[in-house]
Amino acid sequence: MATILAPAMAAESISAETFANLPLLSAKRLTGSLTAGYDSNYVGRGLVISHSVAEGDSSEFAALKLNYDLGHKQQKWSIDNAIAYRVVSSGHTMYGPQPYAQLSALGVRPRNVENEFAVLTAVKYSGEKGHVSFGHEFVHGGLLGAFAKHFRQQSASCVNEVYLETVWTPAAWAELGHTARLSFQGVQGWWFEPYVTFKAPIIGQGEDVKMAGLLTFAMSATANYFDEGHHANANGAQAFWIKLATPYFATKQFIITPAVSFNWLGSGAQKAAKTSSLRQAMALFRQDGSTLVPYRNFAVVGSVACTYKF
């Protein structure tokens, strides 16, 4: 979710005096954005899904974000809501149709990655040097849904999480953040995502920046999330990535954000490639199962997003 919504964080400002006199229930306290975009690969929590898992590579997404300011002072206390949908555009038969009959004969069913639907609600406190958010996220489908349905034998591909996000901006050119998520339904366990972002204007200066550069270093890791009995990831580092985004502000309301990220597989996720049940099943046919792995060890992912703020 954070990746989808990243280009649409700023809200339109009104004068402090006008805002302070607004009643608690006022349409002027509501801001939001609508974002749509394309990724050259399906990515979940930094993990790049392999070509064989999704029968292809690309994915498309859309997200609606709403922010309602609750405070007497603008952008202090607020409620954030977001709805996002991601399409796995190339296919839904994991590992493709070719080995399906052979695998089914062994009682091994290829597991699909479904389209992802997510709903987020959070309470946020913003200060001069950052913000703190506490919220709930519901996810159906996607990578987390596959974990819940196929490795935890849940009836639906659903995960419920609570999370705490802290962001510190010590200077205009730097931002440090961390999100800790506790999944309590579908899968139980912790996800951690620390990051640091460096910012600089590319075109324009001050309040009149037309294009900016954002360079992010991030990782994801888990604790008590995966079980040893599953042919899935081990706990620990899941993914590392470096992302360069260059949002272009066509107008104050319309932003175009091309980006490229370089993603590496962590040691915890590498276990899934070594112990994949489908890879082991193919070995019984004396066929090379080296391509039947869930993630890419390294991938370059291109993306573009268009955001309209209102």
Side-chain angles (χ1 to χ4, degrees):
M1 286 290 293
T3 302
I4 295 177
L5 299 172
M9 300 304 292
E12 289 298 306
S13 61
I14 59 177
S15 69
E17 182 180 356
T18 299
F19 187 85
N21 293 326
L22 288 176
L24 182 59
L25 297 179
S26 171
K28 292 183 179 181
R29 291 180 176 268
L30 181 66
T31 57
S33 63
L34 181 63
T35 299
Y38 167 87
D39 288 335
S40 61
N41 294 85
Y42 176 87
V43 184
R45 303 276 165 97
L47 297 168
V48 181
I49 304 301
S50 71
H51 181 91
S52 57
V53 164
E55 283 192 285
D57 298 301
S58 59
S59 67
E60 295 80 39
F61 60 85
L64 172 67
K65 179 184 177 183
L66 298 174
N67 174 280
Y68 192 85
D69 202 311
L70 295 171
H72 179 70
K73 294 183 178 180
Q74 191 175 17
Q75 293 297 305
K76 288 294 183 182
W77 288 98
S78 62
I79 296 177
D80 287 351
N81 295 100
I83 299 174
Y85 190 78
R86 182 180 292 276
V87 176
V88 185
S89 60
S90 298
H92 294 286
T93 304
M94 188 177 263
Y95 299 108
Q98 181 63 31
Y100 188 89
Q102 295 173 323
L103 295 171
S104 296
L106 293 176
V108 179
R109 182 169 59 88
R111 303 177 175 104
N112 66 321
V113 177
E114 303 171 39
N115 292 342
E116 182 179 343
F117 173 72
V119 180
L120 177 150
T121 304
V123 176
K124 180 170 69 176
Y125 175 79
S126 301
E128 294 182 1
K129 295 291 185 177
H131 70 261
V132 177
S133 296
F134 177 75
H136 168 267
E137 187 170 357
F138 166 81
V139 180
H140 180 278
L143 186 64
L144 301 186
F147 289 149
K149 187 173 183 179
H150 301 302
F151 296 116
R152 294 299 179 94
Q153 290 76 49
Q154 300 296 306
S155 59
S157 304
C158 297
V159 172
N160 277 283
E161 300 177 321
V162 292
Y163 71 91
L164 178 67
E165 177 188 66
T166 56
V167 176
W168 179 46
T169 308
W173 50 269
E175 178 178 294
L176 291 82
H178 179 258
T179 302
R181 294 182 173 91
L182 174 61
S183 180
F184 60 89
Q185 187 273 328
V187 183
Q188 291 77 43
W190 292 89
W191 274 91
F192 305 100
E193 293 184 49
Y195 73 90
V196 56
T197 296
F198 299 99
K199 313 172 188 179
I202 297 176
I203 301 175
Q205 293 289 334
E207 298 296 324
D208 190 29
V209 175
K210 294 294 292 182
M211 178 181 287
L214 289 78
L215 181 63
T216 298
F217 298 85
M219 71 164 295
S220 65
T222 59
N224 301 319
Y225 197 88
F226 299 102
D227 291 340
E228 290 297 324
H230 299 150
H231 296 290
N233 308 25
N235 289 302
Q238 302 301 316
F240 301 87
W241 64 96
I242 300 172
K243 183 174 183 178
L244 175 63
T246 56
Y248 174 74
F249 299 84
T251 68
K252 290 184 178 180
Q253 284 75 37
F254 188 66
I255 308 166
I256 302 172
T257 306
V260 60
S261 69
F262 303 88
N263 296 57
W264 291 267
L265 207 58
S267 59
Q270 289 175 7
K271 181 206 171 194
K274 299 175 182 177
T275 64
S276 167
S277 57
L278 299 182
R279 183 175 182 178
Q280 294 174 11
M282 290 303 292
L284 297 178
F285 293 102
R286 298 182 180 179
Q287 297 183 22
D288 181 14
S290 61
T291 62
L292 301 182
V293 294
Y295 317 115
R296 297 189 176 193
N297 283 319
F298 171 73
V300 179
V301 181
S303 66
V304 62
C306 297
T307 298
Y308 177 75
K309 299 192 301 179
F310 54 87

